[in-house]
Amino acid sequence: MGNMLQNVWKALPKASLSKEVVAALFGVGLLGAAAVYYVRYHGTIRESLLARSELKGRIEERYKNSKDLVKLDIVRQETIIDEGITFYFLIGRNFEAKPLAHQIKVKRNPFLAPITEDVFIGHLSSTHSLLLNKFSVVPSHVLVVTRAVEPQFTLLNTTDFTATFAVIEAIDGFAFFNCGELSGASVPHKHVQVIPKSEFSNSKLLDLYDKLAMTVNEGETIQVPQYQFLHVLVHLPDDIKKVVKVYKNCLLYTSDAADDLLCVDLGGRRIIKKK
């Protein structure tokens, strides 16, 4: 720092500013640059958070203008009906563009600063940010990401649900949590994915889930009769704290590992947490 100031001073005309003024201006410049960086990626004490009313517009605008996305080129959709349930498969050209967890050589966390401008949408709260999914399966595919580093295999908590529900309500979407490598998570930093329901308007599965869940009382569970794999549906309460409690009860129901409150993978497979 001292050598830099000396070089700046030598480059100035002799009739120019004093050393003290140059140092002060240089210090102000550094503080200004640091402030811009901090506000951009971390926020300030009076940081600007995304308002719920602007979420949908900001997501659509960023998706439309982003140049950093690797949009998975969907060429066709195939339909298979099994046990009375219609399954839709998206066939794409460039799914290999997204690396698997074991294929990532550079272990830089893409959810920490510096975050690529084209995928950063804004801060949802003091605990969560909203990013575009760089490898979007459908338009407006977003990630609700913790601002502090948290492992992807940890349980969802009150702040996770609060941030995620805000996005779900804003874009009329649904969320999924890939808790671990076996369920598709390539980044071990805690994040929840949210996709607009409108992108799956042909599928009746979400409507089926909603109807089934509403046939039981708040907090109670039910299953889809046709499904032959381990699963559970639940009528979620409005209170977030109650949602967390119901969520943990579902884990207890679907996994013999849940007595340790470990996360479970899709199908009830166990994720071993090393102690």
Side-chain angles (χ1 to χ4, degrees), residues 214-234:
M214 294 304 292
T215 61
V216 296
N217 295 324
E218 186 178 280
E220 292 183 352
T221 60
I222 193 172
Q223 292 184 307
V224 181
Q226 298 95 324
Y227 286 178
Q228 301 301 310
F229 55 84
L230 195 57
H231 70 283
V232 64
L233 298 176
V234 63

Side-chain angles (χ1 to χ4, degrees), residues 12 14 21 29 47 57 87 127 129 139 162 171-172 174 201 206 221 237:
L12 289 172
K14 292 183 179 180
V21 174
E47 68 181 355
F87 295 88
T127 58
S129 296
T162 300
I171 66 173
D172 188 24
F174 70 94
S201 57
L206 295 177
T221 60

